[in-house]
Amino acid sequence: MITYIATIHKDKDSDYGVQFYDFPGCISAGESIEEAKMMAKEALIGHINLMVTDGDVIPTPSTLESILKDKDYQDAVAFTTVEISEAILTNENLYVKNM
């Protein structure tokens, strides 16, 4: 399994926003942290499915340490992970583990 880290952000008067460092443009949101985590999984599934369909390379997961060095990710209020089967790297069936 390959584990990707999502950061969860919260601005005043907004929902919890989620973004994946390794997948620019893969974002989601939820009214609670729990909902944001669930939506993050759905967003990543859709994003990876589109990348696989387009023949794009799936990136290697970054470490938490490298993500936190990026100033755009230092204000995260929480983190979540999504595990992806290594089969995705060979364009086989996608499997996302529910956590």
Side-chain angles (χ1 to χ4, degrees):
M1 299 299 281
I2 302 168
T3 303
Y4 289 99
I5 299 171
T7 54
I8 301 174
H9 304 264
K10 177 76 167 98
D11 293 327
K12 186 179 178 184
D13 300 324
S14 74
D15 287 346
Y16 290 89
V18 181
Q19 60 185 357
F20 285 89
Y21 182 82
D22 297 312
F23 298 92
C26 182
I27 60 173
S28 189
E31 291 183 7
S32 66
I33 289 180
E34 293 76 22
E35 183 181 20
K37 288 179 179 182
M38 183 180 67
M39 298 303 291
K41 292 175 189 176
E42 290 181 20
L44 187 59
I45 291 168
H47 197 89
I48 290 177
N49 279 329
L50 289 172
M51 289 180 71
V52 169
T53 299
D54 290 345
D56 296 334
V57 175
I58 306 301
T60 302
S62 296
T63 64
L64 180 58
E65 292 78 16
S66 65
I67 294 169
L68 290 176
K69 287 181 183 177
D70 187 322
K71 65 179 177 143
D72 292 333
Y73 293 83
Q74 292 175 350
D75 64 342
V77 296
F79 301 91
T80 190
T81 59
V82 177
E83 291 185 334
I84 304 294
S85 170
E86 291 183 32
I88 192 67
L89 300 177
T90 58
N91 290 335
E92 295 175 14
N93 293 328
L94 171 66
Y95 169 73
V96 176
K97 180 179 180 181
N98 292 324
M99 297 181 69

